[in-house]
Structure formats: structure tokens, C-alpha cells
Amino acid sequence: MSVRAIVLAAGKGTRMKSDTAKVLHDLCGRPMLWYVLQALRAAGVTEIFVVTNAELQERVSEFGATGVLQKEQLGTGHAVRIALDAMKPEGGRVLVACGDMPLVNAEIFSAVVAASDGGNALALVTARVPLPSSFGRIVRRNGSVERIVEARDAGSAELEIDEVNAGIYAFDEGALREAVGRLRNDNAQKEFYLTDAVADLVRSGKRVAPVAASDPAHVIGINDRADLALARREMNIRLCAQHMRDGVTIVNPLSTSLEPELKIGRDTVIYPNTSIGRLSEIGERCMLGPNSRLSNARLGDDVTVRESSIFDSSAGDRTSIGPYAHIRNDSRLAQDVRIGNFVEVKNSRLARGVKASHLTYLGDAEIGEETNIGAGTITCNYDGKKKNKTLIGRDVMIGSNTSLIAPITIGDGALTGAGSVVTKDVPPGQRVAGNPAKPLPNK
Ligand code: UD1
Ligand code: MG
């Protein structure tokens, strides 16, 4: 059975009080809308049409969905009509969902599609929620769903109903097209309500099947930033739980922030106040945190990162970073590298066994195997106009507090004395010291 989906997301989201469209607000590293589309795809939906406002329309292709611009927000029924106008009639099922429900899962979508089969014109998800509530109410007659009444149009008896409309529907496409064509806007909000399609279908003798949501928390809509924070907490708990089930120890999930689509190897331990994001890949048996931030980081096995930040960079097996280090801008640390406290590494390549243990800046540098960088070393890479490279060979001893004035090359096995200001290239095996550094007599 072909299933296409319409996602309603053109609403202004006034209560977010934001210049950004509501469904583009971030939730654990992805826009809210991303989660809804992921769940739809996981439920086997083949094509997704997102009803957008002007701002969202510009961004919607990033989500692999087709945007349908709704110039004026005249109600959910109007939004669906506009989407149907853009969809070639195929006669399958059409799932309708909202873009501001990021906690939904594929199971709910699959369940509602399954329930729409077997002669039903519509299946819709219902939930029991505490009252008062702003959800539309499910009105039943003799046990069957008869209509939905919006909270703003409901009488006092109807407002007592705690069975509500979650806003997730699976329609027979032909029945939906007919019902949407007949909607009117004679209600409290002067809007075309999609929910009026329920009474319309029932009147014309069609069958409507309710599907109870197993957990009402999954169908909560985000309306303001307080809702968003609650959803973020829930989503983060889900993400942590998934990695813990896969063999990662998370000491305190409530103070650990993860994103979707991370790879974290088994027996890695994450200590509190640590966030990992942007497609990071972490090997096995790593120790991360506390108080660390990793974004687009690729770490091998047995890597230690303590109280440090790593952005857009990688580190090989057994490398140790921190405390208080900052690795950024496409830095690549090989295996067995040691980066100690208060060291910044920017856009640099460090070969196997390099050590920079204290108070150092390495920018635009390439450093060969087993070289030791003494405390307080600075690569002076910026001449006021451009960034210059520092090339350091293998088995080099850079003395404490050395300034390397780039562009500069230090040959294999060379040595700089403590406090040197090195302004000229140093040949392999040469020892230099002083300001400016001069060759020392051979021992
Ligand atoms: C809607 C339902 C209500 C249900 C609730 C569940 C209607 C009339 N009511 O109410 O029964 O309990 O969802 O959350 O459908 N949108 C558009 N274009 C429009 C209007 C809305 O794209 O012209 C989008 C919004 O961006 C939002 C969704 O449709 O994502 C729902 O609209 P909203 O106004 O929030 O409806 P509710 O009052 O929440
Ligand atoms: Mg809403």
C-alpha cells in the first residue's frame, strides 16, 4: 500500500516569540521537524509533503521533503487542501501529522496506517490527557467516533471529555479529497478545520477508527520554549538510553547531552556535564568527561578526553587529551598522542607519540613522530596578515617557552633551548638557543 504524508507546519508559532519558524527550533542538535520526518520514513512513508510558510519553504528541501507553500494560514483543513492540490491522485493512504510533535515515533504512524485499512475511510490517534486541555475533543455516539469539537468551540459538557485528538490521521485519499472540499469555516476561529472532516465522513456513512496512543507524551505538541525544554529532556533520555543499551556507560544521563546519529563504541564511559554532537564517532573503551564538549569529533579506541573541547577534529587510539585542552578546526592527532592541560591545537597534524603536555598553542603545525613540545611553546603562526605553517620533524625536543616564528621548519632530531625565539629554519640534528635563536656548539 502506498503511503504518502502531509506534515502541517505553516503555523506562525506565535508563542515561541521568535524570528525562526517554530519547527526549525533546535531539539538535541536537529530541528524539531527532522524528528517527525524520520519517524514517518521509519514507518514506511514513501513521499512527504510539508505545508510551509515563506521562511520554512526556503529550508524545506534540506529535509528531503517537498514543500507546499500556504500563503495564508486559514486552518488545518485549508493546509491539507493545498497539499492535496500539489499531490498527484494515487488512491492510497495519506498520513497527516503536525511538524511540531517531535516526540512521535514510527510505531504510532504504523499503527494508524494499519487501522485505516479494512474499509475505514479514516483512522485517527486519540489520547487521554489531564484536563483542562486545549486539544480537540473526541465526541462518541454509541461508542463510535462521531465528530471532533475544537476546545474553542466546545460546550461545557464537551470540555469534560478527556479523550482528545492527537492530530495524527491516516485517510483514504479519495475520501479525504472529498471531505476537504466540503469544509467550511463557520466556527470560533473562522478557520477551515481538518477535524470537521470526521463528522463529514461519518455523515456520509464512512467508517472512522480511533487508535489510542500508548503514551500521550509521544503526541505532545511544542508551543513555547518551556514545552521545547521538556521535549529536549525527554529526547535526550531516549538517546542516552539507546547508547546505554548498546554498551556505553553514562554516569549521569541527566547531565549528558547527546544527539541523534552518533556512534559510540562499547565500554566507553561518559562522565557528567559532557555533550557529544554533530555526527561524532567515538571508539571503544574511551573515557570522556567530565565537563567536555565534542562536536564532529572522531576518536579511536581507548582515547581519554578530560574537561576539554574537541571540534571538527580527530584523535587516534590511546591518545589522551586534557584537562582543559581545546582541539579544533580540522586538527588530526594520531595514536598515542598526549595533549595536556591548557593546550590549544588548531588545524594541525600531530604524528604518533607527539607530546605537548602543558600551556601550549599549536596552530597550522605539522609535527613528526615522538617529538616533545615543551611547556609554554607557541607557534607564532599569524604575522598580522596571514596564517603561516610550522613544520617540526620527528624526535625533536622543543624546549620550554619556545616561540616558533612561522613560516618555519625544524628538522628531525633538532633541539631548541628553553626560552628560544626561533626565527630561522633549523636543520636536522641542530641545537639552537637564545633570542633570536642561534646554533649551539656541538656537544
Ligand atoms: C489541532 C487540531 C486539534 C488537535 C491538535 C493536536 C484542528 C482544527 N485542530 O489543533 O483537534 O487536538 O491539533 O495538536 O486541526 N497549520 C498549518 N496551516 C494552518 C493552520 C495550522 O500548517 O493554516 C499547522 C500548524 O503549523 C500546526 C498544525 O497545523 O503544526 C496544527 O495547527 P494548530 O493551529 O496548532 O492547531 P491546534 O489548535 O493545535
Ligand atoms: Mg497546536
Side-chain angles (χ1 to χ4, degrees):
M1 181 170 49
S2 117
V3 182
R4 298 185 292 172
I6 299 173
V7 176
L8 306 181
K12 289 183 272 300
T14 330
R15 282 168 285 177
M16 294 299 281
K17 303 219 169 82
S18 173
D19 294 333
T20 301
K22 177 163 81 176
V23 299
L24 295 179
H25 275 257
D26 181 89
L27 177 79
C28 302
R30 300 287 184 285
M32 271 189 236
L33 178 63
W34 182 88
Y35 294 92
V36 178
L37 303 192
Q38 282 285 109
L40 286 168
R41 291 193 180 105
V45 169
T46 45
E47 216 183 338
I48 302 174
F49 296 82
V50 180
V51 181
T52 62
N53 54 31
E55 190 208 347
L56 183 57
Q57 182 67 14
E58 296 213 333
R59 294 267 317 268
V60 74
S61 62
E62 291 169 29
F63 296 89
T66 305
V68 184
L69 179 64
Q70 185 190 25
K71 290 205 186 86
E72 268 187 296
Q73 279 80 59
L74 302 179
T76 49
H78 178 255
V80 167
R81 191 193 309 158
I82 286 194
L84 287 171
D85 288 347
M87 295 162 67
K88 203 160 52 63
E90 283 184 3
R93 299 285 142 174
V94 175
L95 239 167
V96 179
C98 298
D100 61 357
M101 265 183 205
L103 296 179
V104 290
N105 54 25
E107 287 70 42
I108 294 181
F109 290 140
S110 299
V112 75
V113 169
S116 73
D117 214 359
N120 292 316
L122 163 64
L124 56 90
V125 177
T126 66
R128 297 262 175 206
V129 298
L131 298 177
S133 142
S134 61
F135 281 96
R137 306 299 206 269
I138 305 287
V139 180
R140 291 180 182 251
R141 177 192 288 255
N142 301 329
S144 301
V145 175
E146 182 187 53
R147 61 193 165 91
I148 294 174
V149 58
E150 289 307 300
R152 304 261 297 263
D153 299 284
S156 52
E158 290 164 336
L159 286 174
E160 294 301 309
I161 300 172
D162 69 350
E163 188 188 19
V164 303
N165 170 31
I168 299 171
Y169 322 81
F171 285 93
D172 169 76
E173 186 186 331
L176 175 62
R177 285 186 187 272
E178 285 174 27
V180 157
R182 289 193 289 260
L183 293 178
R184 294 147 52 98
N185 65 348
D186 47 355
N187 51 52
Q189 303 185 72
K190 298 279 171 286
E191 286 185 2
F192 295 93
Y193 291 161
L194 178 62
T195 43
D196 285 346
V198 174
D200 180 280
L201 292 171
V202 169
R203 261 198 310 275
S204 51
K206 302 249 168 49
R207 280 170 37 201
V208 175
V211 178
S214 54
D215 184 348
H218 294 168
V219 296
I220 287 304
I222 308 300
N223 289 318
D224 59 26
R225 296 182 204 233
D227 294 339
L228 182 59
L230 293 177
R232 185 176 290 121
R233 189 175 65 182
E234 166 65 21
M235 182 61 72
N236 190 58
I237 286 170
R238 281 189 202 176
L239 292 164
C240 288
Q242 179 201 320
H243 286 287
M244 291 190 284
R245 279 193 294 268
D246 289 344
V248 177
T249 295
I250 300 181
V251 172
N252 183 1
L254 293 178
S255 74
T256 302
S257 300
L258 300 184
E259 291 187 3
E261 302 181 298
L262 297 173
K263 292 204 178 92
I264 309 178
R266 54 194 288 172
D267 290 321
T268 282
V269 180
I270 305 175
Y271 291 95
N273 297 323
T274 295
S275 69
I276 307 178
R278 288 255 328 280
L279 304 175
S280 291
E281 288 185 24
I282 314 293
E284 300 186 352
R285 298 175 304 279
C286 293
M287 310 246 282
L288 310 178
N291 307 321
S292 295
R293 227 178 126 194
L294 285 74
S295 173
N296 188 25
R298 290 164 308 285
L299 308 185
D301 297 332
D302 303 290
V303 174
T304 302
V305 179
R306 284 185 297 153
E307 320 230 32
S308 292
S309 297
I310 305 180
F311 301 110
D312 305 308
S313 294
S314 61
D317 297 346
R318 296 175 302 280
T319 281
S320 155
I321 295 167
Y324 316 116
H326 185 190
I327 315 294
R328 64 184 179 98
N329 200 337
D330 196 25
S331 287
R332 297 184 208 167
L333 318 185
Q335 302 174 351
D336 302 298
V337 168
R338 168 90 184 92
I339 298 295
N341 37 196
F342 304 107
V343 173
E344 177 180 1
V345 184
K346 180 226 130 187
N347 190 27
S348 293
R349 312 276 177 272
L350 276 54
R352 189 182 53 75
V354 168
K355 291 188 187 60
S357 297
H358 330 268
L359 303 158
T360 285
Y361 173 61
L362 301 171
D364 307 302
E366 277 178 35
I367 306 178
E369 286 184 14
E370 301 293 345
T371 283
N372 190 76
I373 307 291
T377 294
I378 305 290
T379 55
C380 306
N381 60 334
Y382 188 48
D383 59 15
K385 294 197 181 70
K386 61 180 198 310
K387 302 290 170 65
N388 300 295
K389 295 206 86 165
T390 299
L391 305 178
I392 304 176
R394 55 188 301 165
D395 299 309
V396 173
M397 274 295 295
I398 300 290
S400 294
N401 221 22
T402 295
S403 298
L404 298 160
I405 314 296
I408 195 161
T409 300
I410 312 293
D412 293 345
L415 176 147
T416 69
S420 300
V421 177
V422 187
T423 57
K424 295 203 182 86
D425 290 354
V426 179
Q430 176 77 67
R431 301 156 73 229
V432 299
N435 178 5
K438 301 236 166 56
L440 294 175
N442 283 335
K443 276 196 274 192

